[in-house]
């Protein structure tokens, strides 16, 4: 059986302009710009809690985030 060993998981729906973020297990939802400032905000959200961050491929819109 596969398990995720992280307590916090951050899922991101990537579009041209936005990163729509859903955090588990608390259910927090956020929206950051798909630009450098948004990436910095995401780092400040994920790094302190050692979150697993995942997102889908969206026709190249995800490359800068990657």
């Amino acid at each position: 059986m596969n398990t995720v060993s992280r307590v916090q998981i951050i899922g991101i729906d990537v579009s041209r302009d936005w990163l729509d973020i859903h955090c588990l297990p608390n259910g927090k939802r956020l929206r950051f710009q798909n630009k450098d400032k948004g990436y910095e905000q995401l780092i400040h959200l994920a790094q302190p809690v050692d979150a697993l961050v995942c997102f889908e491929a969206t026709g190249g819109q995800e490359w800068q985030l990657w």
Side-chain angles (χ1 to χ4, degrees):
M1 176 162 82
N2 293 332
T3 60
V4 176
S5 61
R6 304 281 176 102
V7 174
Q8 297 284 336
I9 300 171
I10 298 175
I12 306 170
D13 180 28
V14 181
S15 68
R16 186 187 72 208
D17 297 322
W18 300 105
L19 305 174
D20 290 311
I21 297 164
H22 188 187
C23 303
L24 294 174
N26 65 11
K28 181 187 264 187
R29 294 174 188 262
L30 302 161
R31 176 176 262 194
F32 298 150
Q33 287 185 320
N34 190 1
K35 296 185 177 189
D36 290 341
K37 182 178 179 182
Y39 310 147
E40 289 176 28
Q41 290 174 293
L42 179 59
I43 290 167
H44 292 299
L45 176 69
Q47 202 168 38
V49 294
D50 192 32
L52 172 67
V53 178
C54 51
F55 53 92
E56 86 291 359
T58 40
Q61 302 298 330
E62 76 285 355
W63 284 107
Q64 272 195 293
L65 176 61
W66 176 260

